[in-house]
Amino acid sequence: NTNNKGVAKAASGKENMKAIFIDAVNRKVEEVQVENNLQSLCEKIGCKRTEVRKIGNFHTLLFDKEGLEHDVNVGFDLPQMGIVIGNALVVKDNGNGGYEDTILPVSLFALAINFLDLLNMKSYGPIAYADLGNVCITNQRVKAYESLLNIIGC
């Protein structure tokens, strides 16, 4: 879901917006204020071009389109979304092809995300999975993600 050049579109208008920053490098999820333009979104993520994945009907996950081409050894796994290389932002779609303040709580992403060290992954065919170890933690992440889907109307 990118425009013709493979770059996500940012809304013009409001200068700053609230987003959820998934910081795979420092293994944390936090609310941030970011300028609502493509260059600032890319700078925050640490990329030149963004890829997008829809989260429910109203939100978008922005991440590095060229993540596999860089020397990045961290990422995260979000249930039902798959593995993302590097950092990401969660923003709300404004209905006009741009973005605005997210309305989702940071805590739901913090519970659902499994940060990955890509140098220590186990590969099963074309898909890589982390060694999660504790099943209880995984179950809690799934429950948190299901709660997130209920909040955003999926």
Side-chain angles (χ1 to χ4, degrees):
N1 294 28
T2 56
N3 67 16
N4 293 341
K5 296 179 184 172
V7 179
K9 297 180 280 185
S12 57
K14 187 176 177 190
E15 218 171 282
N16 288 313
M17 68 178 171
K18 179 173 66 170
I20 297 172
F21 181 50
I22 303 170
D23 183 350
V25 174
N26 296 303
R27 295 177 171 254
K28 62 183 180 178
V29 180
E30 61 187 351
E31 184 178 293
V32 295
Q33 289 289 322
V34 62
E35 285 186 47
N36 195 354
N37 63 63
L38 185 58
Q39 180 178 349
S40 294
L41 296 172
C42 286
E43 285 175 7
K44 185 64 180 175
I45 296 168
C47 67
K48 293 180 182 177
R49 296 175 54 189
T50 60
E51 183 68 45
V52 299
R53 286 193 192 149
K54 295 293 291 173
I55 301 175
N57 296 324
F58 306 107
H59 282 78
T60 297
L61 180 73
L62 302 170
F63 59 97
D64 188 352
K65 182 177 182 75
E66 301 164 335
L68 290 174
E69 299 171 18
H70 300 147
D71 189 23
V72 178
N73 59 4
V74 294
F76 61 93
D77 184 21
L78 185 60
Q80 308 286 324
M81 299 290 289
I83 293 174
V84 175
I85 309 298
N87 301 325
L89 284 169
V90 177
V91 295
K92 184 175 183 288
D93 302 328
N94 70 2
N96 296 319
Y99 308 117
E100 60 188 28
D101 289 345
T102 184
I103 58 173
L104 296 176
V106 173
S107 59
L108 289 176
F109 284 92
L111 288 172
I113 285 176
N114 178 33
F115 289 106
L116 305 173
D117 175 356
L118 302 176
L119 295 178
N120 295 313
M121 298 284 285
K122 295 180 179 179
S123 181
Y124 299 95
I127 301 172
Y129 294 96
D131 183 8
L132 297 176
N134 190 339
V135 174
C136 181
I137 292 172
T138 302
N139 289 339
Q140 290 302 316
R141 287 189 175 116
V142 169
K143 288 177 185 177
Y145 185 72
E146 289 170 350
S147 295
L148 171 67
L149 291 177
N150 287 332
I151 287 172
I152 61 177
C154 291

